[in-house]
Amino acid sequence: MQSSKAASLRRQRFDEYVAVYHQDMYRYAAWLSRDRSIAEDVVQEALMRAWKSLDALRDEAAAKQWLLTIVRRENARYFERKRLETVDIDNLTASQAALLAEQPDEELDHMRQAIYELDDDYREPLVLQVLMGYSTNEIAEQMGLKQGAVLTRLHRARAKLKEQMAKP
Amino acid sequence: MKCEEYREAIAADPSFDGNAGHLSECAACQAYRTEMLALEQTIGRALRLDVPELEMPELPEIVAEESRESSTSMSDNVVALPNRRRVSPAWFAMAATVVVAALLGIRLLSTGIEYESLADEILAHVDHEPYALRVTDVAVSDERLASVVPANVAKMDHGAGLITYAQSCVINGHEVPHLVIQGERGPVTILLMPHEMILEAQILAGENVNGVILPVGNGSIAIIGESGESLERIQQQVMKSATWST
């Protein structure tokens, strides 16, 4: 009886995290992989892994970072397993193209294309900062970088986006 | 602060509000800031993709003693990895399964999670503790290190590098010291496994991972860093700093 209650509480705790952070997990995965289908697969795998290791998460405040770290690792694993080639932006699959052509807003489409074309090293810290609200110090922790390296990458990312947006 | 420094700072973080004095005196930087804030809004809108409805994967049943309640009752020095399953009346059938799995070379852990190799289990474990991989210059105390690396198991001094994390964890059913030192490209995980004898070094190579499991006496030591981390120097330092007590 008691174990049933404990299992129920465990599931409740997990569902709460999923409800709060699922969107962040998906968007992070989508921008890491640049592919909506892969993002869905990665999130599924990440949820499974998070469920199995939920008891290792002791600090509730670290839940978001914990989940995003799992997404990051699952994404890397996915690409290792599949040995996927770097995305060729002139030859996108429907799932990759779906990431870009969503809005009738031309400026938004232009920006989305520019972000899509950023190198992974620049795109990821940008996503973590703008979308996830991470500080540069937190990004450094997440990516295993020095804070100075993060600042440089963010600066360069925005410079590239600015340059791209200035193009007709 | 010069214009160039200010612009670099605001391009790295548009919420930067340092040096308001410079901003009030420099029209060019004011214009630059306005431009960057507008750009930031567009970036934010572009990144906010529509999210499809979640399809929750079928989650395996986790036995009750793996719950948070039981884990919080464990020693603070021990990470709350799932406990062993209790032996059930159906253990006869399970035992047969384990024998078959062993013959196939599959690692069937008490957690119910299958690992094909020690390397897989180690990598999964590192995933379980992402908060261990912090970039920091704060070392754990000697007391903490001594409690995680008991004298009757192994001896480890600070010669391995700046040890910033120390925790007792469970690998293949044995409590092992899990340490993190700061490498050149980021945190590097070290697992001291006196019970895991291997015949030769095993390389852990991947897109994001660069590691090795080294045979050391009757046990082994795993060293895992970010891809691109040069582990040779760390290996030498760790081998010099760690010795088994048994």
Side-chain angles (χ1 to χ4, degrees):
Chain A
M1 186 72 177
Q2 196 171 1
S3 65
S4 167
K5 187 183 172 191
S8 170
L9 286 171
R10 188 184 195 280
R11 178 60 194 252
Q12 187 184 337
R13 181 187 180 213
F14 181 75
D15 286 344
E16 284 171 7
Y17 288 147
V18 174
V20 174
Y21 299 120
H22 166 242
Q23 291 200 336
D24 286 339
M25 292 172 76
Y26 174 82
R27 286 175 176 145
Y28 186 39
W31 283 114
L32 284 180
S33 65
R34 297 189 289 177
D35 187 305
R36 281 185 170 275
S37 293
I38 294 175
E40 289 185 44
D41 288 349
V42 165
V43 169
Q44 294 270 312
E45 290 293 325
L47 287 174
M48 185 65 83
R49 194 171 285 272
W51 168 250
K52 287 175 179 172
S53 59
L54 183 63
D55 300 319
L57 175 66
R58 293 185 159 193
D59 181 2
E60 303 281 331
K64 181 177 176 180
Q65 189 177 5
W66 181 71
L67 287 167
L68 293 183
T69 300
I70 294 174
V71 168
R72 187 171 196 258
R73 301 249 173 184
E74 284 306 321
N75 180 69
R77 275 209 189 86
Y78 185 96
F79 278 81
E80 275 177 21
R81 274 200 306 268
K82 305 284 183 185
R83 297 185 182 282
L84 294 179
E85 300 286 333
T86 305
V87 173
D88 176 1
I89 58 172
D90 294 326
N91 190 19
L92 300 180
T93 65
S95 171
Q96 290 162 348
L99 196 69
L100 301 176
E102 275 194 337
Q103 306 290 334
D105 182 331
E106 196 177 325
E107 185 190 31
L108 210 55
D109 282 348
H110 195 173
M111 176 60 85
R112 208 163 265 173
Q113 177 81 37
I115 296 171
Y116 191 92
E117 290 177 17
L118 280 178
D119 287 349
D120 294 349
D121 285 349
Y122 296 148
R123 194 173 58 255
E124 186 178 1
L126 191 72
V127 170
L128 288 172
Q129 186 184 51
V130 179
L131 208 51
M132 307 302 163
Y134 276 30
S135 68
T136 51
N137 194 34
E138 287 169 330
I139 297 169
E141 285 183 19
Q142 176 81 358
M143 296 183 66
L145 298 169
K146 305 286 184 199
Q147 193 177 12
V150 171
L151 289 168
T152 302
R153 290 184 187 193
L154 287 167
H155 170 248
R156 288 182 184 164
R158 287 195 174 85
K160 283 173 185 286
L161 294 179
K162 189 165 173 282
E163 186 186 322
Q164 286 296 318
M165 292 301 283
K167 289 180 183 174
Chain B
M1 181 177 264
K2 295 176 184 171
C3 291
E4 191 180 345
E5 291 170 345
Y6 180 82
R7 291 179 189 195
E8 278 186 10
I10 203 162
D13 184 357
S15 66
F16 173 74
D17 59 359
N19 215 312
H22 173 79
L23 195 62
S24 64
E25 293 165 5
C26 181
C29 282
Q30 283 177 25
Y32 184 81
R33 182 168 190 265
T34 304
E35 191 180 4
M36 290 308 289
L37 289 176
L39 183 77
E40 194 67 2
Q41 283 202 344
T42 312
I43 293 172
R45 284 169 57 221
L47 288 175
R48 235 163 267 119
L49 300 168
D50 291 339
V51 178
E53 195 172 332
L54 171 66
E55 284 183 36
M56 184 69 89
E58 194 172 328
L59 303 173
E61 188 181 344
I62 305 290
V63 291
E65 63 266 28
E66 293 175 6
S67 72
R68 195 174 170 215
E69 281 66 22
S70 66
S71 69
T72 52
S73 68
M74 297 171 74
S75 158
D76 281 343
N77 289 338
V78 181
V79 165
L81 287 176
N83 295 335
R84 286 183 183 281
R85 290 184 189 278
R86 290 187 188 283
V87 177
S88 73
W91 72 273
F92 301 100
M94 290 177 68
T97 307
V98 170
V99 169
V100 171
L103 287 171
L104 292 172
I106 295 172
R107 294 168 74 86
L108 253 181
L109 285 192
S110 54
T111 57
I113 303 170
E114 292 179 14
Y115 295 105
E116 290 183 357
S117 65
L118 177 64
D120 278 358
E121 184 175 355
I122 286 170
L123 291 176
H125 178 71
V126 172
D127 275 351
H128 291 170
E129 296 184 33
Y131 40 84
L133 300 175
R134 294 166 58 91
V135 177
T136 173
D137 56 4
V138 179
V140 298
S141 65
D142 287 341
E143 292 75 19
R144 176 69 182 167
L145 185 60
S147 73
V148 170
V149 188
N152 62 344
V153 173
K155 288 176 186 162
M156 179 92 184
D157 59 40
H158 285 281
L162 181 68
I163 301 173
T164 55
Y165 179 84
Q167 185 76 271
S168 289
C169 297
V170 176
I171 296 289
N172 197 24
H174 295 287
E175 265 190 44
V176 305
H178 174 171
L179 309 172
V180 172
I181 65 171
Q182 298 297 308
E184 287 178 1
R185 291 182 65 93
V188 176
T189 300
I190 297 168
L191 293 167
L192 305 178
M193 303 178 291
H195 308 287
E196 292 292 342
M197 188 176 190
I198 59 173
L199 297 177
E200 57 185 16
Q202 297 174 20
I203 304 296
L204 308 171
E207 190 178 337
N208 284 1
V209 170
N210 175 29
V212 63
I213 309 174
L214 299 168
V216 181
N218 290 330
S220 54
I221 296 178
I223 303 172
I224 305 134
E226 286 281 321
S227 182
E229 179 75 54
S230 171
L231 295 181
E232 208 167 292
R233 181 181 55 82
I234 295 172
Q235 283 177 34
Q236 291 171 356
Q237 290 171 342
V238 170
M239 299 296 270
K240 277 185 194 168
S241 307
T243 50
W244 304 138
S245 303
T246 53

